[in-house]
Amino acid sequence: MAGNQDVLTRERLDAALAVLPDWRYRLGGFVTVYKAPTAAAALELIAAVGRLAEKQNHHPDLDWRYNRVFIRYTSHDAGGEVTERDAAAAAAASDAAARAGATAQPGLFRTVELGIDTVDPAEIAEVWRVALGYKKGPGGDLVDPYGRGPGVWFRETAKPNSNRFHVDVHWSKAEAGPVLEKTAATGALMNRDHAPDWVVVTDAQGNRLCLCTEEGHQPEPL
């Protein structure tokens, strides 16, 4: 079982990504999307990644969408953080993708979370956990044990927003710029006080969402 000493620090994480151009960091994992020439080629890539996973005894979350394969590596036995095993697995998957003629499109991999304002997270968390079939994650967040549904986190505040729910959409910093520009062009109110970590977006009816990047979620230096 991995220990905390195996978790990549911010410096080691940046060094790993420097030699993994196909990959991005996202909420405790390395993520990417590969576009294969055909759906059949995508299935061949999935099979290749599966063989690697068995050989490495390190299995990714993987999703197939026609000719695109979405992949996420994280180390569950290290508290859902990134370790050297994830970096090695990502590198091997990149090699397999190259052999399959697939091209990386990491900007397509976005992650969604639901945020809830509350004065007392403990009072409501169990309702949401049971109803969704989720489990408790780091820091009291709720996560889908199968990695399919959006995560849920509770923003403890003495003054909850009148609209207690908001959506966090996580993009990689490398791809966030065009998304912010297009969102601003819709006429939404853009609060950039916390950029580039996140930008609070409010629509014409007062509904909020946050466009987030990995800057607000990378491990701190030890």
Side-chain angles (χ1 to χ4, degrees):
M1 180 174 290
N4 290 336
Q5 69 273 15
D6 299 312
V7 175
L8 296 188
T9 62
R10 174 70 177 268
E11 182 178 359
R12 293 170 64 200
L13 188 66
D14 290 341
L17 288 172
V19 295
L20 293 170
D22 293 355
W23 298 80
R24 303 289 186 265
Y25 175 79
R26 180 74 51 73
L27 297 176
F30 281 156
V31 303
T32 196
V33 180
Y34 284 109
K35 180 182 178 181
T38 64
L43 285 171
E44 291 174 2
L45 174 57
I46 291 170
V49 172
R51 289 191 293 270
L52 288 170
E54 286 296 293
K55 182 178 179 179
Q56 298 161 340
N57 192 28
H58 194 58
H59 299 77
D61 294 329
L62 190 149
D63 195 8
W64 172 43
R65 290 291 183 267
Y66 184 56
N67 65 338
R68 288 182 172 87
V69 181
F70 293 69
I71 309 175
R72 180 177 186 269
Y73 283 105
T74 188
S75 293
H76 298 287
D77 57 356
E81 296 291 349
V82 173
T83 67
E84 290 289 355
R85 287 171 297 149
D86 299 302
S94 291
D95 290 342
R99 289 192 297 272
T103 57
Q105 297 181 325
L108 294 182
F109 201 116
R110 57 191 176 276
T111 307
V112 176
E113 292 184 304
L114 176 64
I116 304 175
D117 283 5
T118 174
V119 296
D120 185 1
E123 185 178 28
I124 63 173
E126 189 66 1
V127 174
W128 288 87
R129 188 193 68 77
V130 172
L132 290 167
Y134 279 17
K135 65 179 183 179
K136 290 184 179 179
D141 295 353
L142 303 180
V143 295
D144 184 343
Y146 301 104
R148 294 185 56 81
V152 178
W153 68 281
F154 303 95
R155 177 177 177 266
E156 186 171 358
T157 174
K159 297 180 179 179
N161 192 281
S162 57
N163 185 342
R164 292 185 176 222
F165 296 86
H166 76 273
V167 174
D168 288 343
V169 184
H170 294 266
W171 294 85
S172 295
K173 185 180 177 182
E175 288 85 25
V179 177
L180 288 167
E181 291 180 9
K182 291 178 181 178
T183 304
T186 68
L189 179 64
M190 309 287 286
N191 182 334
R192 301 175 185 264
D193 289 351
H194 300 282
D197 295 11
W198 70 85
V199 173
V200 181
V201 180
T202 306
D203 68 20
Q205 297 181 7
N207 303 300
R208 298 170 300 146
L209 63 88
C210 291
L211 294 175
C212 310
T213 75
E214 70 274 17
E215 288 300 307
H217 294 85
Q218 291 198 34
E220 293 300 321
L222 296 179

